[in-house]
Structures are given as structure tokens and as C-alpha cells.
Amino acid sequence: MVQKAKVMIDKEFVIGEIDKRIYGSFIEHLGRAVYEGIYEPEHPSADEQGFRTDVIELVKELNVPIIRYPGGNFLSGYNWEDGVGPVSERPKRLDLAWRATEPNVIGTNEFIDWANKVNAEVNMAVNLGTRGIDAARNLVEFCNHPSGSYWSDLRISHGYKDPHKIKTWCLGNEMDGPWQIGHKTATEYGRLAAETAKAMKWVDPSIELVACGSSNRHMPTFAAWEAEVLEHTYEHVEFISLHTYYGNRDNDLANYLAQSLDMDQFIYSVISIADYIKAKKRSKKTIHLSFDEWNVWYHSRESDKQLEPWTTAPPQLEDIYNFEDALLVGSMLMSLLRRADRVKIACLAQLVNVIAPIMTKKGEEVWKQTIFYPYMHASLYGRGTALQTVVSSPKYDCRDFTDVPFLDTVTVYHEEEETLTLFAVNRHQEETLKIDCDIRSFEGYTVKEHIVLENKDVKATNQHNHSNVVPHNNGDAISNGGYLTANLPKLSWNVIRLSK
Ligand code: AHR
């Protein structure tokens, strides 16, 4: 049997302009993300700075606009000063967050060099766990002040005459979490974040700041935390952060694929809290959302418990993603797009080797995980204006959700380029979903390509020596007389691209 859904797409149904930063990612000093990931001086493809050029090429394929750095939980014990100046004089430190040894071979300047090579901005995070106002304002001075002061001249002495001009900064990481070094109450954190923000902006008023929201929606302090933090920081920051990770721990696919509804609800709740504080403060300013950690993370959790402590670059958080994970990642991307009016930054956590779309083998090849594809498609084709996509789809109930639409979809319109892109997941496990879309406001637009990611085996993976999960562009979408029709195979990720 074929299931049927109706979709209405109209140019005038505007959600908002998509900030390209929603296709951001994240590199933490964790596991093999930095060492053996982006940096491997002995690798045949390494450039003059020791960065793997094969990795750089794949990051460029993803067109990642911004990369959060250097953590993560690592951040809360990090002295940024350890990572600048002559490498031979940099200290090795115990990283208490991940129980590893950090050699500090790569630090601020080198990472910014690497980010420039992949054409990405850096979203720099300051340590509000063990450090505070002083270290944060000094780092802004080091990175952004042109010259003529202690920290800016130090940067120049390291060979960086021009300031790095880092625009986006995170005020700490997951400070609500008891696992965090220097964990704080919402009041303690809110006060510190506000005072740090003031000092950082006095050094460089052009920067934008992200305050820590909750580590996830299920934290006991969720909602109260956001409200209290924003009470203190509202006039000093531009963003509040959200983090979430999902996993199919019970092997319940229907429930797993519905997790993006939890993400929708999380986003909706944080917008509501931010707007409540706006009303309370009679403020004209709107706080935006930075979903600066999101992904699937569960495959590696057990094996990571067996790792030897205090080694450098242990293989931590090396989830090998399967086909069903790619479907959920596609839906999570659509959740971000559906609130493109308020979510202006998002970071797929992470980018290389650590819960990542890109994996490396030491001394050998680099390869693409299953989740590489939906992330790449959204980043390449999801630029422009997000459109409210009105859907009438059959639905299902599962353990944690009711009324889950089999069709998950959103559309993006790029006015200047005259392109319209429909992203869609068919959550049905047995049946094709035939979609009929009214696109009469897009006169003259025809289908250029219908990309499909599908697989008989939901547990199929890619590895360094095989690629079982790769998209094809043999989808059957056609447009005719103002209508677009397509058959979305059971359990599939689809990208239907139209242009004039
Ligand atoms: O991305 C992995 C970890 O997840 C980050 O270090 C932390 O912020 C979150 O708990």
C-alpha cells in the first residue's frame, strides 16, 4: 500500500531568513578530533602545519560556516594561554573532563589557521568553570584587538599581525551540569556570565555572545535555569544555548525517529522562556537561540568506559552511525529550519572522529559516515528563506509520542538564485509515501534533482573500507501545472530541488 500526504508551499509563508550559522559544527579537544583528526603531521596528506588536507577537503564539501572550539566539557578546565607561543614551551595538562592528557600542540592560533583553511569562522568559547572574567577578556584582546596592548602584541609576536576578528563567543559550556568542572547554580552562572560579557564587550563591542542554557531538556533545572540566567544576562548577550543528543537505546525505531518532536518542543520552550523574560524586562531586544550541540550519541557510550585514562587522543565517542541515525539527523536539521526565525546558530556535535560525520584512520584514509549526507545536503541546499510548509500526513503513535506525522518536511526558497528545495523524511517503516504538493506560487519552477538516501538495512553503516549508505539521485519527483508529486520510499531522506 502507498500512504498519501498533501503539502502546501507558498512563497508568502515565510518563517524567516536562514542564518548560515545553523549549519555550524564543533571541534573539541577530545578523543581524536584534534590529534589524529584534523592534525596529523606524519600523515601523507599533511600540509606544512601538520593539518590533514584530505580532512580539509571533506570539511569543505560540507560547506561548514562556523565551528565551535575548544569545547565542550574540556573547556571548563582549559587555560587558553597554555596553547599559544612556542610549542616546545607549552605544558602538557591533565584534562579532567575526559581523563586524557592534552599536549597543547594545537591552540588558538593554529585552530584559527585551520578554520581559515576550511573557510569557516570560529565560534570561540571561554572557560567559566575554573577561570573567569580576566582570562576571557584577555582572550578577546589576544584575538581581536589590533595592536598596542600586552595580549594583542603577544599575538603579533607569534606571527599573527592581523587580528583574528572572532565574532561569536560562548560564555562557558553546560554550566548547569554537575559533571562540569566549576558547575554553578543558575544565579552563580548568570552573574558571572553577565560580568564576563560586559568586560568582553568593553574590549570589543562588535562581538556576539551566547549564554549557557540547559545541557538538555530533561535536566531537573531546565526552564528555571534559562529564566534565571536570562534575568542576569538579557541585556549583555545575543543568544541562549541548547544542547541535545538522542539514541535508539531500546531499538524502537518508530520512537527513535520521532525524537525530533522532542527537539521541536525544546526549541519552542526556550523561545517561550526568552520571550517571557523579554516581557518581564519590558525589553525591545529579542534573544536568539544557539543550538550549539546536537546529534545522535549513544553507540560508543559503553565502550568508552573501558578506555585507559591519561593517554593522548584516545578513541573516545567514536560512534559508528547507521542508516537510521542519518534519518534522525535529517529530521533534526528540519527542526532547526522550522524555527529559522529564532535559531540562528547550530553546531552539529562534532565534526571529526568524535560523534562525527567525518572519520579518519591514522596514517590512512578519511571517510564519510552515514550522517554526512543529510548534513551536507542541508548545508548546501538549505540556504535562503525557510517556508512554513503546511502538511496533511497520516500519523502514528509510539511509546513517547502521539500523532507523529509519517511525513517530516520543510522547504527552503532562495529568491536570488530562484531555487526551491524540499527536504523530507518518510518515517513509515513499510510503505512508500506519495506526496502531492501545491507549488502554484512558484510558477515556472521544475524539478532539477530528487536525491534519496535509502537502505534495506536500517543498521547499515559506512566504514573506512566500505560505503553502504550513499545517496542516489533517482527519485521520481515531477512537477506539472503548479503541482509537485513524488514517491518517498519507506524510511528515506529526500531532497527535491526545483529551479526556474
Ligand atoms: O560533545 C560531547 C560533549 O557533550 C561536550 O563536551 C559536552 O558539552 C556535552 O555534554
Side-chain angles (χ1 to χ4, degrees):
M1 221 182 97
V2 174
Q3 299 279 329
K4 290 187 179 156
K6 281 199 180 315
V7 181
M8 169 82 200
I9 303 164
D10 193 294
K11 279 195 176 128
E12 306 301 328
F13 295 180
V14 170
I15 297 172
E17 280 306 298
I18 299 163
D19 189 319
K20 66 177 183 184
R21 290 179 292 179
I22 71 164
Y23 302 117
S25 191
F26 177 28
I27 292 272
E28 178 168 1
H29 281 253
L30 157 58
R32 300 191 308 123
V34 174
Y35 309 107
E36 283 190 31
I38 65 170
Y39 176 78
E40 192 186 327
E42 305 79 27
H43 192 272
S45 82
D47 67 9
E48 67 296 344
Q49 285 186 286
F51 292 124
R52 284 184 64 154
T53 55
D54 56 353
V55 174
I56 289 173
E57 287 315 309
L58 282 204
V59 177
K60 282 186 177 166
E61 269 188 48
L62 291 168
N63 198 9
V64 184
I66 188 164
I67 303 177
R68 187 164 172 255
Y69 175 84
N73 297 337
F74 169 81
L75 175 72
S76 295
Y78 182 53
N79 301 326
W80 70 265
E81 304 87 339
D82 291 346
V84 297
V87 172
S88 59
E89 293 168 23
R90 298 184 193 176
K92 282 189 181 167
R93 299 269 189 201
L94 294 187
D95 162 19
L96 304 186
W98 300 106
R99 296 175 63 74
T101 301
E102 169 57 49
N104 281 307
V105 172
I106 297 295
T108 302
N109 289 325
E110 294 84 12
F111 186 76
I112 294 169
D113 283 341
W114 180 80
N116 287 335
K117 290 177 186 189
V118 299
N119 306 321
E121 277 178 54
V122 174
N123 175 1
M124 188 71 81
V126 297
N127 173 359
L128 294 188
T130 56
R131 308 292 296 279
I133 304 171
D134 200 39
R137 59 135 183 185
N138 292 343
L139 182 57
V140 179
E141 183 182 317
F142 180 86
C143 289
N144 287 7
H145 195 70
S147 64
S149 67
Y150 177 79
W151 294 106
S152 59
D153 288 344
L154 186 67
R155 180 199 71 239
I156 293 168
S157 76
H158 297 156
Y160 296 84
K161 183 171 173 298
D162 295 326
H164 295 309
K165 295 191 180 145
I166 306 291
K167 178 180 169 195
T168 314
W169 296 75
C170 297
L171 295 162
N173 176 69
E174 295 191 347
M175 300 308 302
D176 63 323
W179 59 85
Q180 205 67 223
I181 310 174
H183 163 226
K184 292 175 175 52
T185 65
T187 314
E188 288 166 347
Y189 171 70
R191 288 285 306 123
L192 178 60
E195 292 304 317
T196 306
K198 273 163 53 183
M200 290 169 76
K201 285 189 173 173
W202 283 337
V203 178
D204 181 354
S206 72
I207 61 176
E208 292 190 343
L209 297 175
V210 184
C212 287
S214 296
S215 304
N216 63 70
R217 179 173 172 238
H218 304 285
M219 293 297 288
T221 49
F222 170 60
W225 171 276
E226 278 75 4
E228 178 72 10
V229 167
L230 287 174
E231 278 283 357
H232 295 287
T233 58
Y234 203 90
E235 295 307 331
H236 305 292
V237 304
E238 284 65 39
F239 299 91
I240 182 95
S241 75
L242 298 82
H243 291 179
T244 208
Y245 295 99
Y246 297 123
N248 191 5
R249 290 182 190 80
D250 313 316
N251 202 18
D252 177 347
L253 184 55
N255 203 59
Y256 181 52
L257 295 181
Q259 298 292 309
S260 59
L261 275 66
D262 180 84
M263 187 165 177
D264 293 334
Q265 189 57 45
F266 189 14
I267 293 171
Y268 175 77
S269 304
V270 176
I271 291 171
S272 307
I273 300 161
D275 290 350
Y276 160 69
I277 301 297
K278 177 180 184 172
K280 210 170 160 213
K281 288 184 175 288
R282 279 77 170 152
S283 177
K284 289 196 165 49
K285 177 178 176 184
T286 298
I287 295 288
H288 288 112
L289 275 54
S290 172
F291 214 126
D292 47 38
E293 287 188 32
W294 68 271
N295 202 349
V296 169
W297 172 17
Y298 77 107
H299 297 283
S300 61
R301 291 215 189 231
E302 281 309 308
S303 55
D304 278 2
K305 292 181 187 153
Q306 319 302 325
L307 290 169
E308 182 80 7
W310 314 126
T311 61
T312 295
Q316 283 166 311
L317 280 67
E318 298 207 0
D319 277 44
I320 301 298
Y321 292 114
N322 57 33
F323 172 62
E324 65 188 22
D325 299 329
L327 294 179
L328 182 62
V329 163
S331 283
M332 293 174 85
L333 285 156
M334 289 191 280
S335 293
L336 298 171
L337 283 167
R338 263 193 291 275
R339 288 318 305 252
D341 55 329
R342 295 299 288 273
V343 182
K344 296 293 180 186
I345 302 175
C347 302
L348 175 72
Q350 298 191 7
L351 187 56
V352 180
N353 287 337
V354 171
I355 42 174
I358 296 172
M359 299 294 289
T360 66
K361 258 180 88 76
K362 189 176 181 184
E364 297 181 35
E365 63 269 63
V366 61
W367 54 278
K368 299 173 183 175
Q369 294 242 44
T370 62
I371 64 168
F372 184 96
Y373 296 105
Y375 178 44
M376 176 182 76
H377 294 148
S379 176
L380 296 186
Y381 308 127
R383 313 260 174 147
T385 305
L387 297 180
Q388 195 75 51
T389 309
V390 183
V391 175
S392 166
S393 163
K395 295 175 175 164
Y396 68 95
D397 294 341
C398 54
R399 195 189 62 212
D400 298 325
F401 305 90
T402 50
D403 288 333
V404 182
F406 284 111
L407 174 62
D408 187 11
T409 188
V410 69
T411 39
V412 172
Y413 171 43
H414 200 301
E415 195 174 356
E416 294 79 55
E417 291 180 6
E418 299 189 311
T419 59
L420 176 69
T421 304
L422 182 139
F423 298 104
V425 164
N426 175 7
R427 293 188 174 108
H428 206 293
Q429 296 187 39
E430 265 93 48
E431 287 162 17
T432 298
L433 189 55
K434 179 169 188 282
I435 57 167
D436 279 309
C437 312
D438 181 337
I439 54 165
R440 281 175 297 172
S441 72
F442 289 94
E443 212 186 321
Y445 279 68
T446 53
V447 175
K448 295 292 171 236
E449 191 177 26
H450 177 179
I451 304 168
V452 183
L453 189 67
E454 58 181 330
N455 206 287
K456 289 193 297 291
D457 178 6
V458 290
K459 304 295 182 193
T461 58
N462 296 339
Q463 293 273 4
H464 68 98
N465 52 5
H466 65 256
S467 291
N468 291 331
V469 184
V470 285
H472 63 77
N473 55 6
N474 299 326
D476 70 357
I478 49 163
S479 48
N480 196 357
Y483 288 86
L484 165 72
T485 58
N487 286 295
L488 312 183
K490 66 179 184 181
L491 294 177
S492 60
W493 159 256
N494 297 263
V495 185
I496 302 176
R497 302 176 57 218
L498 299 96
S499 64
K500 228 172 173 176

